[in-house]
């Protein structure tokens, strides 16, 4: 199985899982071209490939997008198994106060059930992935 993007074909395992280290540098590489308003810093795909965590520059909080792989009628001419990614916004993870985000956000836990991000002041924010509830706020 593969994920077909504008310029890449990404191979997945037999059960459709993406490699855990998989990263895409530009959101617009997804063929569905879902627009975002802010500058994207990093994109992380969950271990099972169903969730996409997008980190933005500066003070914009991270967002979770649901990724659905659907058959690509146009791409089937070249690859009989071609699929494209469709992205749907699920959550924006809001900190308690305005935070200058220090870097990328990450999935945590064995099943990627947590979303983690750090502020430049050294604070750490941990949310529940599915409910977007802030579980822990660790001060510097």
């Amino acid at each position: 199985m593969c994920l077909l993007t504008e310029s890449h074909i990404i191979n997945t395992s037999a059960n459709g899982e993406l490699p855990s280290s998989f990263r895409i540098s530009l959101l617009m590489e997804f063929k569905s071209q879902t627009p975002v308003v802010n500058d994207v810093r990093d994109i992380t795909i969950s271990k099972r490939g169903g969730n996409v965590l997008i980190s933005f520059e500066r003070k914009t909080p991270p967002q979770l997008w649901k990724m659905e792989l659907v058959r690509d009628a146009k791409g089937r001419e070249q690859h009989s198994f071609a699929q494209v990614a469709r992205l749907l916004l699920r959550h924006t993870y809001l900190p308690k106060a305005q935070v200058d985000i220090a870097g990328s956000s990450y999935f945590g836990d064995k099943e990627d059930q947590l979303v983690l991000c750090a502020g430049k002041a050294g604070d750490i924010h941990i949310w529940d992935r599915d409910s977007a509830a802030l579980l822990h706020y660790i001060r510097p």
Side-chain angles (χ1 to χ4, degrees), residues 116-131:
L116 301 93
C117 104
K120 286 187 178 178
D123 50 328
I124 299 171
H125 306 265
I126 303 172
W127 293 273
D128 177 74
R129 182 193 71 197
D130 295 330
S131 69

Side-chain angles (χ1 to χ4, degrees), residues 4 15 23 34 48 52 57-58 61 66 80 96 104 112-114 124 129 135 139-140:
L4 180 67
N15 62 1
R23 298 258 197 261
T34 303
R48 296 186 184 245
V52 177
E57 295 291 337
R58 297 173 287 284
K66 180 179 178 182
S80 62
K96 285 187 173 186
S104 299
D112 293 338
Q113 293 295 314
L114 302 173
I124 299 171
R129 182 193 71 197
L135 301 175
R139 292 186 175 100

Side-chain angles (χ1 to χ4, degrees), residues 82-139:
Q83 294 181 318
V84 294
R86 179 182 305 151
L87 299 174
L88 305 166
L89 180 63
R90 289 184 66 197
H91 298 295
T92 299
Y93 297 98
L94 300 173
K96 285 187 173 186
Q98 185 79 351
V99 175
D100 201 2
I101 306 296
S104 299
S105 300
Y106 298 95
F107 287 111
D109 190 22
K110 290 180 184 178
E111 298 295 320
D112 293 338
Q113 293 295 314
L114 302 173
V115 171
L116 301 93
C117 104
K120 286 187 178 178
D123 50 328
I124 299 171
H125 306 265
I126 303 172
W127 293 273
D128 177 74
R129 182 193 71 197
D130 295 330
S131 69
L134 181 63
L135 301 175
H136 299 285
Y137 170 65
I138 302 169
R139 292 186 175 100

Side-chain angles (χ1 to χ4, degrees), residues 2-138:
C2 76
L3 171 66
L4 180 67
T5 69
E6 289 288 340
S7 58
H8 298 83
I9 295 176
I10 298 121
N11 293 317
T12 61
S13 63
N15 62 1
E17 290 186 5
L18 293 166
S20 60
S21 61
F22 179 72
R23 298 258 197 261
I24 294 180
S25 59
L26 298 172
L27 178 63
M28 300 316 278
E29 280 189 18
F30 282 109
K31 203 168 185 180
S32 63
Q33 294 192 0
T34 303
V36 293
V37 176
N38 300 296
D39 294 331
V40 173
R41 176 185 305 220
D42 189 42
I43 298 175
T44 305
I45 298 178
S46 63
K47 292 174 189 168
R48 296 186 184 245
N51 294 296
V52 177
L53 184 61
I54 300 179
S55 304
F56 298 97
E57 295 291 337
R58 297 173 287 284
K59 298 180 189 225
T60 305
Q63 292 181 339
L64 181 72
W65 294 69
K66 180 179 178 182
M67 180 173 67
E68 296 177 344
L69 297 177
V70 295
R71 289 183 183 212
D72 179 26
K74 293 179 184 177
R76 295 190 83 185
E77 298 165 1
Q78 295 176 341
H79 305 282
S80 62
F81 48 82
Q83 294 181 318
V84 294
R86 179 182 305 151
L87 299 174
L88 305 166
L89 180 63
R90 289 184 66 197
H91 298 295
T92 299
Y93 297 98
L94 300 173
K96 285 187 173 186
Q98 185 79 351
V99 175
D100 201 2
I101 306 296
S104 299
S105 300
Y106 298 95
F107 287 111
D109 190 22
K110 290 180 184 178
E111 298 295 320
D112 293 338
Q113 293 295 314
L114 302 173
V115 171
L116 301 93
C117 104
K120 286 187 178 178
D123 50 328
I124 299 171
H125 306 265
I126 303 172
W127 293 273
D128 177 74
R129 182 193 71 197
D130 295 330
S131 69
L134 181 63
L135 301 175
H136 299 285
Y137 170 65
I138 302 169

